[in-house]
C-alpha cells in the first residue's frame, strides 16, 4: 500500500507522533468531546465573568468582558437558538449540498472511472505535488476543497496502490495548511482580509491614514510564490515522513466501498467521453454568462467576479452540485450504470446515508463554537496576545515572526480567519504602522500563521468531516490520529513559511499589487 514512499520516519519523530496519536485517540468520541468542551466553556465563562479587563474590544470600543453563559438569560438564549445554530452551521449546508451531486457522480461510477483515466496518464512520482497543487487551487472555490479535493485525495492514492490516509494528509495540507497560498488566481479571502486591514489601518493616529486604501491583491505575489513552497514542503513530508509511518496502519474499511484500479471497459470509456462533453458544455455556458460586464454573476458594487459579495462566489457550492450531477447522470445513462431517475435519487440517498456520523458531530461542534464565540474567551486571548507582543518591543524581524506565532496560536481557539484578523488587526496594524511597517506586511505575517495551524485544530469547522473521510479507510481513526498525521506539516510550514516571509522582506521582493513594506510607502 505504500510502494511509492521511499523514505522512513525518524525514530524520535515517530515516537512523538505515536504518543500524540495514542493520547489523542484516548479522548472521547469527537461528538462527545465537543459536548464536554461546551461544558468547560460554560464553567470558564461563569468563573471569569466577574473579572474586569481594561483591554478595549475593537468591535465595540468598550472594555472587553467575558459573558457568563450560565446566566439564566444566556442559557435560555442558547436553548432558543440551538436549532438555528445547528442548521446555520456553515459547513453543514456546504457539505450536504455538495455531496448530493458528488453522490450521484460516485454512485454511477463517473468519479471512479475518471480517476482511473487520470491515473493512467499521470506519472506516479508527480501524484503528491499535483494533489497538493489542486488543493491550493481549490481556494478559488472558497471551501469546496474540503468536500471535494480531500476525499478524492484518498481515492486517488488508494487506487494508485498508496495509503489513502497519506492522500488525505497531502490534500488537507494543500486545502487548509496552504489556505493563504494562491495559485495565480486570487481567492475570496483576499478582498475580505484587505477590507479588514484597511479599517484597522485607518485607526492609526497618523492623520494621513484616515484615507488609506488597501488593494485586495496586496499580498498577491507573496501568496502566489508561497504556492510552490507549500507544494515542495508537502511533497517531501508526504512521501518521506507521513506515508512511511502509515505503513503500519492497515486499511480496514469496507472493501466493497473502496475504489479499484481496473482497466476501463468500453462502456466506461464511452460514458467518460459523453460525460466530459457534458461538463465542457456546462462550463462553456457558465463562462459565456460570466463575460458580459453587466453579468448577474458579478458583484453589484464593483463588477468583480471574485469579490466575496459576487453571486458567483456565493454560488460555488451550488455549482459543484450541478457540475458533478450533470456528468454523473450522463455517464450513468451512457455507461449503463443508471437505468432511470430512481437510480439517480438512489445515488443521492446513498451519499446522505454515509453522512449520519458527520451530522451528529456537526451538531455538537456548532453548539460549542457558538458558545465559545458568545463567551468572548477567544477574543480575550487574541487581544491579550497582541498587547503582550506590543509591550515586548522586540526587533522588527522578531516582531513579524511574533505576529505569525500569535496568529497561529489564536487560530487554535478561533476558527474563522476573518474573525481572528478583525480582532488582531485593530491592535497590530496601527501599532506596526507607528514602527514604519506597512499594513500589507502585517497582513502577510498574519496569513502565514493562520494557515499553518489550520490543520491541527479541532475547532476548524471541517475537522470532524476529515475524520469521517479517514474512517472510511482506517476505522480506528480519531482526533489523535488526524493531529499526529498533520502535525509535521503544521510545524514545518510554520517555521519554513515564516522564514520565507522574512526572506521576502529582507530582499524587498514585491508583496503584491499596490503594496509596500514600509509606512509611509517609500516612492
Amino acid at each position: 500500500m505504500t510502494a511509492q514512499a521511499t523514505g522512513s520516519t525518524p525514530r524520535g519523530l515517530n515516537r512523538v507522533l505515536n504518543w500524540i496519536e495514542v493520547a489523542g485517540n484516548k479522548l472521547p468520541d469527537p461528538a462527545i468531546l465537543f459536548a464536554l468542551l461546551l461544558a468547560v466553556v460554560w464553567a470558564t465563562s461563569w468563573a471569569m465573568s466577574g473579572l474586569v479587563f481594561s483591554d478595549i474590544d475593537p468591535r465595540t470600543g468598550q472594555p472587553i468582558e467575558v459573558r457568563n453563559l450560565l446566566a439564566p438569560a444566556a442559557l435560555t438564549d442558547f436553548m432558543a437558538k440551538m436549532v438555528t445554530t445547528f442548521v446555520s452551521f456553515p459547513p453543514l449546508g456546504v457539505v450536504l449540498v455538495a455531496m448530493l451531486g458528488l453522490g450521484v457522480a460516485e454512485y454511477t461510477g463517473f468519479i471512479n472511472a475518471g480517476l482511473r483515466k487520470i491515473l493512467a496518464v499521470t506519472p506516479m512520482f508527480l501524484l503528491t505535488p499535483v494533489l497538493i497543487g489542486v488543493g491550493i487551487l481549490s481556494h478559488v472555490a472558497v471551501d469546496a476543497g474540503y468536500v471535494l479535493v480531500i476525499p478524492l485525495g484518498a481515492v486517488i492514492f488508494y487506487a494508485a496502490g498508496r495509503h489513502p490516509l497519506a492522500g488525505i494528509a497531502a490534500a488537507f495540507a494543500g486545502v487548509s495548511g496552504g489556505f493563504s497560498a494562491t495559485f495565480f488566481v486570487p481567492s475570496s479571502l483576499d478582498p475580505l482580509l484587505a477590507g479588514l486591514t484597511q479599517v484597522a489601518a485607518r485607526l492609526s493616529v497618523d492623520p494621513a491614514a484616515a484615507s488609506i486604501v488597501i488593494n485586495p491583491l496586496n499580498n498577491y505575489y507573496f501568496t502566489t510564490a508561497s504556492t510552490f513552497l507549500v507544494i515542495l514542503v508537502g511533497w517531501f513530508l508526504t512521501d518521506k515522513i507521513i506515508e512511511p509511518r502509515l505503513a503500519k496502519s492497515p486499511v480496514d474499511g469496507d472493501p466493497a466501498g473502496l475504489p479499484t484500479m481496473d482497466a476501463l471497459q468500453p462502456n466506461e470509456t464511452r460514458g467518460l467521453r459523453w460525460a466530459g462533453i457534458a461538463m465542457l458544455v456546462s462550463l462553456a455556458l457558465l463562462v459565456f454568462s460570466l463575460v458580459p460586464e453587466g453579468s448577474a454573476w458579478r458583484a453589484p458594487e464593483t463588477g468583480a467576479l471574485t469579490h466575496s459579495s459576487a453571486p458567483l462566489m456565493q454560488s460555488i457550492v451550488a455549482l459543484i452540485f450541478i457540475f458533478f450531477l450533470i456528468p454523473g447522470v450522463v455517464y450513468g445513462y451512457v455507461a449503463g450504470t443508471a437505468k432511470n431517475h430512481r437510480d439517480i435519487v438512489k445515488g443521492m440517498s446513498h451519499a446522505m446515508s454515509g453522512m449520519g456520523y458527520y451530522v451528529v458531530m456537526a451538531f455538537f461542534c456548532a453548539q460549542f463554537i457558538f458558545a465559545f464565540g458568545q463567551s468572548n474567551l477567544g477574543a480575550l486571548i487574541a487581544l491579550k496576545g497582541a498587547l503582550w507582543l506590543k509591550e515586548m518591543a522586540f526587533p522588527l524581524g522578531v516582531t513579524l515572526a511574533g505576529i505569525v506565532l500569535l496568529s497561529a496560536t489564536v487560530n487554535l481557539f478561533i476558527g474563522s480567519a476573518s474573525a481572528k484578523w478583525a480582532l488582531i488587526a485593530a491592535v497590530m496594524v496601527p501599532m506596526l504602522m507607528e514602527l514604519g511597517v506597512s499594513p500589507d506586511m502585517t497582513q502577510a505575517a498574519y496569513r502565514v500563521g493562520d494557515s499553518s495551524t489550520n490543520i491541527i485544530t479541532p475547532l476548524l469547522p471541517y475537522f470532524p468531516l476529515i475524520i469521517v473521510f479517514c474512517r472510511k479507510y482506517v476505522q480506528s481513526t480519531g482526533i489523535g490520529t488526524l493531529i499526529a498525521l498533520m502535525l509535521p506539516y503544521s510545524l514545518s510550514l510554520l517555521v519554513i513559511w515564516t522564514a520565507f516571509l522574512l526572506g521576502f522582506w529582507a530582499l524587498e521582493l514585491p508583496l503584491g499589487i499596490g503594496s509596500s513594506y514600509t509606512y509611509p510607502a517609500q516612492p
Side-chain angles (χ1 to χ4, degrees):
M1 185 58 62
T2 57
Q4 298 301 318
T6 57
S8 60
T9 308
R11 289 184 178 181
L13 176 60
N14 199 42
R15 281 196 294 269
V16 172
L17 295 178
N18 287 342
W19 181 86
I20 291 173
E21 179 175 356
V22 171
N25 285 344
K26 286 183 178 179
L27 294 171
D29 184 273
I32 300 303
L33 181 61
F34 282 119
L36 294 174
L37 288 173
L38 175 62
V40 170
V41 168
W42 278 341
T44 305
S45 70
W46 169 79
M48 297 184 66
S49 60
L51 301 178
V52 178
F53 300 96
S54 59
D55 310 290
I56 301 299
D57 188 336
R59 300 168 300 183
T60 63
Q62 302 296 321
I64 192 168
E65 61 179 29
V66 175
R67 298 170 184 158
N68 179 11
L69 299 184
L70 292 180
L75 279 176
T76 54
D77 183 63
F78 177 83
M79 297 294 290
K81 294 180 178 177
M82 181 178 287
V83 175
T84 303
T85 299
F86 175 50
V87 299
S88 60
F89 187 49
L92 184 64
V94 170
V95 171
L96 295 183
V97 172
M99 288 302 294
L100 286 174
L102 286 166
V104 172
E106 182 178 17
Y107 186 79
T108 61
F110 168 66
I111 289 180
N112 186 283
L115 290 174
R116 284 150 58 198
K117 182 69 173 179
I118 292 172
L119 287 174
V121 298
T122 301
M124 288 297 102
F125 78 97
L126 290 178
L127 198 58
T128 301
V130 168
L131 177 60
I132 297 173
V134 171
I136 294 173
L137 184 61
S138 72
H139 299 157
V140 179
V142 197
D143 292 341
Y146 289 102
V147 296
L148 177 60
V149 179
I150 293 176
L152 291 185
V155 173
I156 290 173
F157 266 53
Y158 185 81
R162 300 179 63 177
H163 202 291
L165 263 58
I168 287 178
F172 195 14
V175 171
S176 195
F179 192 64
S180 283
T182 53
F183 204 35
F184 298 109
V185 183
S187 71
S188 60
L189 185 65
D190 292 294
L192 179 61
L193 293 183
L196 294 172
T197 301
Q198 179 171 294
V199 171
R202 292 181 176 183
L203 296 175
S204 172
V205 294
D206 180 7
S211 59
I212 192 171
V213 176
I214 303 297
N215 192 303
L217 300 181
N218 63 333
N219 293 155
Y220 177 68
Y221 300 140
F222 172 71
T223 55
T224 297
S226 296
T227 296
F228 301 97
L229 177 75
V230 173
I231 289 175
L232 290 174
V233 171
W235 187 1
F236 173 82
L237 290 174
T238 302
D239 290 359
K240 303 297 183 181
I241 304 294
I242 303 303
E243 196 165 8
R245 179 175 174 271
L246 288 171
K248 296 180 180 180
S249 299
V251 178
D252 56 4
D254 180 12
L258 300 182
T260 60
M261 192 56 185
D262 302 326
L264 289 173
Q265 300 300 312
N267 65 313
E268 294 176 318
T269 301
R270 187 167 56 253
L272 274 179
R273 183 185 305 115
W274 283 102
I277 292 173
M279 286 191 77
L280 289 175
V281 170
S282 301
L283 182 61
L285 291 174
L286 175 63
V287 171
F288 181 77
S289 67
L290 295 175
V291 172
E293 292 186 3
S295 171
W297 291 111
R298 298 178 179 273
E301 306 87 0
T302 63
L305 288 171
T306 57
H307 193 274
S308 58
S309 65
L312 176 66
M313 303 309 297
Q314 297 173 354
S315 303
I316 291 297
V317 177
L319 291 172
I320 290 175
F321 166 71
I322 293 172
F323 275 97
F324 278 89
L325 176 66
I326 291 176
V329 171
V330 172
Y331 176 89
Y333 280 112
V334 174
T337 56
K339 304 299 182 183
N340 50 49
H341 69 278
R342 289 182 175 83
D343 288 333
I344 305 303
V345 175
K346 188 182 296 182
M348 294 182 181
S349 302
H350 180 74
M352 290 299 100
S353 66
M355 298 304 297
Y357 182 68
Y358 172 71
V359 172
V360 173
M361 282 199 296
F363 172 78
F364 289 101
C365 183
Q367 307 307 322
F368 163 69
I369 290 177
F370 171 77
F372 193 68
Q374 290 294 105
S375 71
N376 263 346
L377 289 170
L380 179 63
I381 293 171
L383 286 176
K384 286 292 186 182
L387 291 172
W388 174 83
L389 195 60
K390 179 179 180 180
E391 293 170 359
M392 290 298 99
F394 292 120
L396 188 53
V398 177
T399 299
L400 291 173
I403 296 173
V404 174
L405 186 58
L406 172 67
S407 304
T409 303
V410 173
N411 192 34
L412 299 175
F413 301 95
I414 304 176
S416 169
S418 58
K420 286 190 296 292
W421 188 228
L423 290 167
I424 297 174
V427 176
M428 300 308 300
V429 170
M431 179 196 82
L432 289 180
M433 287 171 67
E434 294 181 31
L435 299 178
V437 180
S438 72
D440 310 302
M441 181 59 176
T442 306
Q443 178 184 296
Y446 162 75
R447 296 182 73 164
V448 171
D450 175 60
S451 291
S452 299
T453 53
N454 269 340
I455 47 182
I456 59 171
T457 170
L459 293 188
L460 178 74
Y462 290 97
F463 202 84
L465 180 66
I466 312 304
I467 295 177
V468 172
F469 291 149
C470 291
R471 286 186 175 180
K472 181 178 180 180
Y473 299 89
V474 179
Q475 297 180 21
S476 61
T477 298
I479 289 178
T481 305
L482 187 53
I483 291 179
L485 192 67
M486 303 310 300
L487 189 60
Y489 295 100
S490 181
L491 295 179
S492 298
L493 287 174
L494 188 60
V495 173
I496 298 174
W497 208 347
T498 300
F500 189 65
L501 174 64
L502 294 177
F504 250 71
W505 170 59
L507 296 174
E508 297 186 354
L509 300 175
L511 274 175
I513 299 174
S515 65
S516 66
Y517 284 101
T518 60
Y519 180 83
Q522 295 180 355

